[in-house]
Amino acid sequence: MSQIEKLKIRLGITDTSQDSLLQLILDEIEQQILAYTNRDKLLPTMENMQIKMAIIEYNKQGSEGMNSTSQGGVSQSWIDGYPKDIQDTLTTFRRLKVSNYATPKL
């Protein structure tokens, strides 16, 4: 099953009207994960994190930049970034960056 199919199931989407948006979100999340973990491609075990992060991004559509809102006695608030469990899991996949630098001669 593809990532977009898994995401649509989790979001309860049954048609193809939002496939372009969902694919865009998945692609952006993939780039974020790769940049954070210093890897060239997603490992199969990272795909669940991609779906979880995509759901968060999908649900934020139209409310970017807001911390909280209240309408008709119902209030909502958003966290900054991603939940700690997602961050902790992705941290386990991180590769250290090694950089070369010249040491000055004494």
Side-chain angles (χ1 to χ4, degrees):
M1 183 179 301
S2 72
Q3 287 294 85
I4 196 165
E5 291 170 329
K6 291 177 187 177
L7 181 57
K8 288 170 70 171
I9 289 170
R10 292 285 306 270
L11 292 172
I13 298 172
T14 56
D15 60 15
T16 59
S17 65
Q18 297 188 60
D19 282 6
S20 295
L21 172 63
L22 297 177
Q23 189 60 57
L24 178 64
I25 291 171
L26 286 169
D27 292 344
E28 289 173 353
I29 295 297
E30 180 177 357
Q31 293 307 310
Q32 288 178 19
I33 292 172
L34 294 176
Y36 182 77
T37 59
N38 300 314
R39 294 182 178 269
D40 297 326
K41 66 177 190 169
L42 283 183
L43 301 174
T45 51
M46 295 177 174
E47 292 177 353
N48 287 338
M49 294 299 103
Q50 182 187 26
I51 296 294
K52 287 181 179 184
M53 292 169 72
I55 291 168
I56 292 168
E57 290 301 316
Y58 179 83
N59 288 329
K60 284 183 182 178
Q61 292 294 309
S63 62
E64 292 88 349
M66 291 177 31
N67 289 330
S68 64
T69 183
S70 180
Q71 293 178 345
V74 177
S75 62
Q76 295 179 312
S77 61
W78 293 268
I79 60 171
D80 282 337
Y82 295 102
K84 186 172 177 3
D85 65 322
I86 291 175
Q87 292 175 13
D88 290 345
T89 301
L90 289 178
T91 298
T92 64
F93 294 109
R94 281 187 105 169
R95 286 187 172 167
L96 294 177
K97 281 188 176 180
V98 178
S99 60
N100 292 332
Y101 61 91
T103 56
K105 292 183 182 182
L106 298 175

